Amino acid sequence: MIYISRDAHFCAAHKLYNEKWSKEKNEEIFGACANENWHGHNFDMTVTVKGQVDPDTGFVMNFKDLNAIIKKDILEKVDHKNLNLDVDFMKGKLTSCESLIVEFWKILNPKIKAVTNNRVVLHSIKLNETNKNYAEYYGE
Amino acid sequence: MIYISRDAHFCAAHKLYNEKWSKEKNEEIFGACANENWHGHNFDMTVTVKGQVDPDTGFVMNFKDLNAIIKKDILEKVDHKNLNLDVDFMKGKLTSCESLIVEFWKILNPKIKAVTNNRVVLHSIKLNETNKNYAEYYGE
Amino acid sequence: MIYISRDAHFCAAHKLYNEKWSKEKNEEIFGACANENWHGHNFDMTVTVKGQVDPDTGFVMNFKDLNAIIKKDILEKVDHKNLNLDVDFMKGKLTSCESLIVEFWKILNPKIKAVTNNRVVLHSIKLNETNKNYAEYYGE
Amino acid sequence: MIYISRDAHFCAAHKLYNEKWSKEKNEEIFGACANENWHGHNFDMTVTVKGQVDPDTGFVMNFKDLNAIIKKDILEKVDHKNLNLDVDFMKGKLTSCESLIVEFWKILNPKIKAVTNNRVVLHSIKLNETNKNYAEYYGE
Amino acid sequence: MIYISRDAHFCAAHKLYNEKWSKEKNEEIFGACANENWHGHNFDMTVTVKGQVDPDTGFVMNFKDLNAIIKKDILEKVDHKNLNLDVDFMKGKLTSCESLIVEFWKILNPKIKAVTNNRVVLHSIKLNETNKNYAEYYGE
Amino acid sequence: MIYISRDAHFCAAHKLYNEKWSKEKNEEIFGACANENWHGHNFDMTVTVKGQVDPDTGFVMNFKDLNAIIKKDILEKVDHKNLNLDVDFMKGKLTSCESLIVEFWKILNPKIKAVTNNRVVLHSIKLNETNKNYAEYYGE
């Protein structure tokens, strides 16, 4: 079993805001992240998959294929977007790193399995909001 | 003459949009940066000042003082904000890196001179929007 | 289960020196790290905790709270200090990365559990002495 | 159990090419990586070992010893070399990151055990071909 | 006058070898870089241009246009290539960083001027062979 | 004229302390940097030299030679040392980044000229104490 990882980047606006709470409570919990006019980040994502090495290619999975899935199914939907307003799969959800990677998992895992005939599965998704904070998810 | 530099970071939303142009022309020129619902970045800024070394401190300028100016006069106004909507000195201006650093210069240079009795002057401001693109200004 | 990580940095002096050994043996084993007048590092630390996502915040744990614990219980004790002389919990111990993270664990784990009502636990601590060497501990 | 990691770097030429396939099929699968005149990379490697802390040194393993093994048994064979032509243990193999780390494992694991009297074992090898792509192997 | 910079990356094989010299002299001067079977690097390039800010766009030059020139006129010729064998403008030349950036300058400067009607000129090219060594050229 | 740069790193202890001042004044001016038991850093240095390209080598100066000078005349004196106590050329001087690079200049410039028969001169020295603060000197 070998693990391969691909980094991807997107620039997006968002705010952390729970609609069930008052403005004051949102500011207390989320601080400056609750700014009503949005703020934004350069998000850095690492997608890790695992599987056996294909003896003909020396690859677990062609990086070209992994990259194409990440680009089409994630980056085109979130890059240069507002995560709260523009992204169908985040509608009505909090746009924390933790929530984003759970939704990314639901999208990426079936695509990776389909492209590789279940030979390769998603292992983890890591998402950095800044270079000091990040979240990771292993699907369970 | 020695040059000293301090890095600072802020997270902000913005869009590149010229109000004199149609939506189509804005998208043609600014691409995804014209997204009407905003996008955002982790901006990385380097502020460089120059002067003689003070023989009592070994410093051109105390980093603590330089940091305090950057924090109070720039970061508190732009960090976790919308550069187009929330920042007084950007009202009615395009929020490109180039425009931002020209406005930052107007704010920082007199403060740095005042704090150091004209012993130290601003030399340059560098601003990265992503880790692939940046702008620099030397005040002339 | 989601993992979230926070990076922290501290600048400290130390030396690697076993008082039971001669100066010669210390230099043989620890090389330049045994220099009697100390040397120092910019230490980079990553603290990773794990737990369920709180549906009201979208957070495993508020980064603000995690950051406050790291700052008060670790950084204020080690930053701009001599790890051998100034740090109560390292008295009489070797100040290798390995030893430091075991002591950090004992301090951080109960605080993280207390602040989160046992909802969140420490998962790992990583400590870089330089950008080429690092140690990691998972508490067991 | 503590994990310690050492980074190492090497610069090498290679190509991805399966001799059983036509030039066209190689270009279809490997893209620009199949360029017959070679291309190259600055490879970044992280070697992680695990063991108990030695109470006399505070070390899992002396970084000096780990570094010496990596340098003699890997770097001297691959740095400033052609991975397909110059490296004995890659003869007849595909020079993907995945294949390289499996071969590195076979070399490093017995050496690390021998030097530490089986007190320390190899935990993982990570290899970056670019700063966007990497592979990891845990020996099983 | 504002300066804007764009980073670009390419992966290439090369060797440092002066055909007028013996193999021994090449190895004496160029060390491991003279390896006859090539070695390679991930080259990191920064292209800096300078000009006035266009009041309609807030840009010195659209990064999209700068990027397109770098991609078409440099990256497509050097990325995943052998710098000594595959690159028309390096034929018969030494492929040191210093030589590469002088040739890149001759290609990029007229293109940048043409695209901007002489409003913008090339200011500098920086090229990193590794993250420890780099060369810079200002065109004079 | 081409500029080439070499990065170097050293780990050292120091404190910022003016012997003419009281302990209180030192703490007021230098803050935590005045800690009497020292603190330390991983210092990152960039040495830039300039000259014409030698047509036989394609080099301004062989990086091997530049590296050897930096290693012998700077790194061996400061790496894993106490900058205030162990370094002959810093005796009685403040060990700020600004002071360090002025002293480094006096040492490096004549050596670089001597090794290159005045064909190459030192252009600048940059020194980072942390990844947020740095100083630069151009020799005048």
Side-chain angles (χ1 to χ4, degrees):
Chain A
M1 183 79 75
I2 304 265
Y3 299 73
I4 64 165
S5 298
R6 173 78 190 175
D7 283 359
H9 308 280
F10 60 93
C11 303
H14 81 146
K15 69 178 163 190
L16 298 180
Y17 206 90
N18 184 332
E19 297 292 346
K20 297 184 297 184
W21 293 343
S22 68
K23 189 166 186 288
E24 288 68 30
K25 176 139 193 202
N26 273 292
E27 286 171 356
E28 180 202 328
I29 301 295
F30 295 121
C33 298
N35 178 41
E36 65 182 337
N37 284 330
W38 321 98
H39 67 285
H41 295 291
N42 303 335
F43 289 88
D44 296 323
M45 176 167 58
T46 303
V47 176
T48 302
V49 302
K50 61 185 171 191
Q52 303 295 323
V53 174
D54 177 331
D56 284 336
T57 61
F59 288 162
V60 168
M61 179 180 176
N62 200 322
F63 274 121
K64 197 170 52 177
D65 297 331
L66 179 55
N67 199 27
I69 293 171
I70 297 170
K71 197 168 177 185
K72 177 166 176 302
D73 291 299
I74 304 291
L75 298 188
E76 288 189 4
K77 292 182 176 167
V78 297
D79 187 35
H80 284 78
K81 302 292 185 191
N82 183 309
L83 299 178
N84 300 61
L85 300 180
D86 295 331
V87 180
D88 53 1
F89 59 80
M90 295 307 297
K91 283 287 162 58
K93 301 202 178 70
L94 287 157
T95 57
S96 64
C97 280
E98 290 94 327
S99 301
L100 285 162
I101 54 178
V102 171
E103 299 308 314
F104 291 175
W105 185 281
K106 293 178 195 165
I107 293 166
L108 289 174
N109 198 24
K111 295 283 169 117
I112 288 163
K113 284 180 179 168
V115 151
T116 62
N117 292 319
N118 292 307
R119 226 180 32 82
V120 177
V121 295
L122 189 53
H123 173 67
S124 65
I125 303 176
K126 178 182 170 188
L127 186 65
N128 274 56
E129 203 176 68
T130 71
N131 60 9
K132 295 197 119 187
N133 296 342
Y134 61 88
E136 283 171 294
Y137 184 49
Y138 295 83
E140 50 191 25
Chain B
M1 183 76 76
I2 304 265
Y3 299 74
I4 64 165
S5 298
R6 173 79 189 174
D7 283 359
H9 307 280
F10 59 94
C11 303
H14 81 147
K15 70 178 163 189
L16 297 179
Y17 206 90
N18 185 331
E19 297 292 345
K20 296 184 298 184
W21 293 342
S22 67
K23 190 165 186 286
E24 288 69 29
K25 176 137 193 206
N26 273 292
E27 286 172 355
E28 180 202 330
I29 301 294
F30 295 119
C33 298
N35 177 40
E36 64 182 337
N37 283 332
W38 321 98
H39 67 287
H41 296 290
N42 301 336
F43 289 87
D44 297 321
M45 175 168 57
T46 303
V47 176
T48 302
V49 302
K50 62 184 170 190
Q52 302 296 323
V53 175
D54 177 330
D56 283 337
T57 60
F59 288 162
V60 167
M61 179 179 176
N62 200 322
F63 273 121
K64 197 170 49 177
D65 297 330
L66 179 54
N67 200 25
I69 293 170
I70 296 170
K71 198 167 176 184
K72 179 169 176 297
D73 292 300
I74 304 292
L75 297 188
E76 287 188 6
K77 293 182 175 166
V78 297
D79 188 34
H80 283 78
K81 302 291 185 192
N82 183 310
L83 300 178
N84 300 62
L85 300 180
D86 296 329
V87 181
D88 53 1
F89 58 80
M90 295 309 295
K91 285 286 162 58
K93 300 199 178 74
L94 288 157
T95 57
S96 64
C97 280
E98 289 94 326
S99 300
L100 285 161
I101 54 179
V102 170
E103 298 309 313
F104 291 175
W105 185 281
K106 292 177 193 164
I107 293 167
L108 289 174
N109 199 24
K111 296 281 169 121
I112 288 163
K113 284 181 178 168
V115 152
T116 62
N117 292 321
N118 292 307
R119 224 178 35 79
V120 176
V121 295
L122 189 53
H123 173 66
S124 64
I125 302 176
K126 178 182 168 187
L127 187 64
N128 274 56
E129 204 176 68
T130 71
N131 60 8
K132 293 198 120 185
N133 296 342
Y134 61 88
E136 283 171 294
Y137 184 48
Y138 295 82
E140 53 192 24
Chain C
M1 184 76 76
I2 305 266
Y3 299 74
I4 64 165
S5 298
R6 172 79 189 174
D7 283 358
H9 308 280
F10 59 94
C11 303
H14 81 146
K15 68 178 164 191
L16 297 178
Y17 206 91
N18 185 331
E19 297 292 343
K20 297 184 297 184
W21 292 343
S22 66
K23 189 165 187 286
E24 288 68 31
K25 176 139 193 205
N26 273 291
E27 285 171 356
E28 180 201 329
I29 301 296
F30 295 120
C33 297
N35 178 41
E36 64 182 338
N37 283 330
W38 321 99
H39 67 285
H41 296 292
N42 301 334
F43 289 86
D44 297 322
M45 176 167 58
T46 303
V47 176
T48 302
V49 303
K50 62 185 171 191
Q52 303 296 323
V53 175
D54 178 330
D56 283 337
T57 60
F59 287 162
V60 167
M61 178 181 177
N62 200 323
F63 274 120
K64 196 170 51 177
D65 298 329
L66 179 54
N67 199 26
I69 294 170
I70 297 169
K71 198 168 176 183
K72 178 167 175 302
D73 292 300
I74 304 290
L75 298 188
E76 287 188 6
K77 293 181 176 168
V78 296
D79 188 32
H80 283 79
K81 302 292 185 192
N82 184 309
L83 299 177
N84 300 62
L85 300 180
D86 295 330
V87 181
D88 53 1
F89 58 81
M90 295 308 296
K91 285 286 161 61
K93 300 200 178 73
L94 287 157
T95 57
S96 65
C97 280
E98 290 94 327
S99 301
L100 285 161
I101 55 178
V102 170
E103 300 308 313
F104 290 175
W105 185 280
K106 293 178 193 163
I107 294 166
L108 289 174
N109 198 24
K111 296 280 169 123
I112 288 163
K113 284 180 178 170
V115 151
T116 63
N117 293 321
N118 293 307
R119 227 179 33 79
V120 177
V121 295
L122 188 53
H123 173 66
S124 65
I125 302 177
K126 178 183 169 187
L127 186 65
N128 274 56
E129 204 177 68
T130 70
N131 60 8
K132 294 197 119 185
N133 296 342
Y134 62 87
E136 282 171 296
Y137 184 49
Y138 295 83
E140 52 193 23
Chain D
M1 182 77 76
I2 305 265
Y3 299 73
I4 64 166
S5 298
R6 173 81 190 174
D7 283 359
H9 307 280
F10 58 93
C11 303
H14 80 147
K15 68 178 164 190
L16 298 179
Y17 205 91
N18 185 331
E19 298 292 343
K20 297 185 298 186
W21 292 342
S22 67
K23 191 166 186 286
E24 288 68 30
K25 177 140 193 203
N26 272 292
E27 285 171 355
E28 180 202 328
I29 301 295
F30 295 119
C33 298
N35 178 42
E36 64 181 339
N37 283 331
W38 322 98
H39 66 287
H41 296 290
N42 301 335
F43 289 86
D44 297 322
M45 175 167 57
T46 303
V47 176
T48 301
V49 303
K50 61 185 172 191
Q52 303 295 323
V53 175
D54 177 331
D56 283 336
T57 60
F59 288 162
V60 168
M61 179 180 176
N62 200 321
F63 273 122
K64 196 170 51 177
D65 297 331
L66 179 54
N67 200 26
I69 293 169
I70 297 169
K71 197 168 175 184
K72 178 167 174 300
D73 291 300
I74 304 293
L75 298 188
E76 287 190 5
K77 292 181 177 168
V78 297
D79 188 35
H80 282 79
K81 301 293 186 191
N82 184 308
L83 299 178
N84 300 61
L85 300 180
D86 295 331
V87 181
D88 53 1
F89 59 80
M90 295 307 296
K91 284 286 163 59
K93 301 199 178 74
L94 287 156
T95 58
S96 64
C97 279
E98 290 94 326
S99 302
L100 285 162
I101 55 179
V102 170
E103 300 308 314
F104 290 175
W105 186 281
K106 293 178 194 164
I107 294 166
L108 290 174
N109 198 24
K111 295 281 170 121
I112 288 163
K113 284 180 178 170
V115 151
T116 63
N117 293 320
N118 292 307
R119 227 179 33 79
V120 177
V121 294
L122 189 52
H123 173 67
S124 64
I125 303 176
K126 178 182 169 188
L127 187 64
N128 275 56
E129 203 176 69
T130 71
N131 60 8
K132 294 197 120 185
N133 296 343
Y134 61 88
E136 283 171 295
Y137 183 49
Y138 295 82
E140 53 192 23
Chain E
M1 183 78 74
I2 304 265
Y3 299 73
I4 64 165
S5 298
R6 173 80 191 173
D7 283 358
H9 308 280
F10 59 94
C11 303
H14 81 147
K15 69 178 163 189
L16 297 179
Y17 206 90
N18 184 331
E19 298 291 344
K20 296 184 298 184
W21 292 343
S22 68
K23 191 165 185 287
E24 289 68 30
K25 176 140 192 202
N26 273 291
E27 286 171 357
E28 179 203 328
I29 301 295
F30 295 120
C33 297
N35 178 41
E36 65 182 336
N37 283 332
W38 321 99
H39 67 286
H41 296 290
N42 301 336
F43 289 87
D44 297 322
M45 176 168 57
T46 303
V47 176
T48 302
V49 303
K50 62 186 170 190
Q52 303 295 322
V53 175
D54 177 330
D56 283 336
T57 60
F59 288 162
V60 167
M61 179 179 175
N62 201 322
F63 273 120
K64 196 169 53 177
D65 297 330
L66 178 54
N67 200 26
I69 293 170
I70 296 169
K71 197 166 177 185
K72 179 169 175 298
D73 292 299
I74 303 292
L75 298 188
E76 288 189 5
K77 293 182 175 168
V78 296
D79 188 34
H80 283 77
K81 302 293 185 189
N82 183 309
L83 300 177
N84 300 61
L85 300 180
D86 295 331
V87 181
D88 53 1
F89 58 80
M90 296 307 296
K91 284 285 163 59
K93 300 199 178 74
L94 287 156
T95 58
S96 64
C97 280
E98 290 94 325
S99 301
L100 285 161
I101 54 179
V102 170
E103 299 309 313
F104 291 175
W105 184 281
K106 292 178 194 164
I107 294 166
L108 289 174
N109 198 24
K111 294 282 169 118
I112 288 164
K113 284 181 178 168
V115 151
T116 62
N117 292 321
N118 292 307
R119 226 179 33 80
V120 177
V121 294
L122 189 52
H123 174 66
S124 64
I125 303 176
K126 178 182 168 187
L127 186 65
N128 275 54
E129 203 176 67
T130 71
N131 60 8
K132 293 197 121 187
N133 296 341
Y134 61 88
E136 283 171 295
Y137 184 49
Y138 295 82
E140 51 192 24
Chain F
M1 183 78 76
I2 304 265
Y3 298 74
I4 65 166
S5 298
R6 174 79 189 174
D7 282 0
H9 308 279
F10 60 93
C11 303
H14 80 146
K15 68 178 163 191
L16 298 179
Y17 205 90
N18 185 332
E19 297 292 343
K20 297 185 298 185
W21 292 342
S22 68
K23 190 165 186 287
E24 289 69 30
K25 176 139 192 201
N26 272 292
E27 285 171 357
E28 180 203 328
I29 301 294
F30 295 120
C33 297
N35 178 42
E36 64 182 338
N37 283 330
W38 321 99
H39 67 285
H41 296 291
N42 301 335
F43 289 87
D44 297 322
M45 176 167 59
T46 304
V47 176
T48 301
V49 302
K50 62 185 169 190
Q52 303 295 324
V53 175
D54 177 331
D56 283 336
T57 61
F59 288 163
V60 167
M61 180 179 174
N62 199 322
F63 274 120
K64 196 170 51 177
D65 297 330
L66 178 55
N67 200 27
I69 294 171
I70 297 169
K71 197 168 176 184
K72 179 168 175 300
D73 291 300
I74 304 293
L75 297 188
E76 287 188 5
K77 293 182 175 167
V78 296
D79 188 34
H80 283 76
K81 302 292 185 192
N82 183 309
L83 300 177
N84 300 61
L85 300 180
D86 295 331
V87 181
D88 54 1
F89 59 80
M90 295 308 295
K91 284 285 162 59
K93 301 201 177 72
L94 288 156
T95 57
S96 64
C97 280
E98 290 94 326
S99 301
L100 285 161
I101 54 178
V102 170
E103 300 308 314
F104 290 175
W105 185 280
K106 292 177 194 164
I107 294 166
L108 289 174
N109 199 24
K111 295 281 169 120
I112 288 163
K113 284 181 178 167
V115 151
T116 63
N117 292 320
N118 293 307
R119 226 179 33 81
V120 177
V121 295
L122 189 52
H123 173 67
S124 65
I125 303 176
K126 178 183 169 187
L127 187 65
N128 274 56
E129 203 176 68
T130 71
N131 61 9
K132 293 197 120 185
N133 295 343
Y134 60 88
E136 283 171 295
Y137 184 48
Y138 295 84
E140 52 190 24

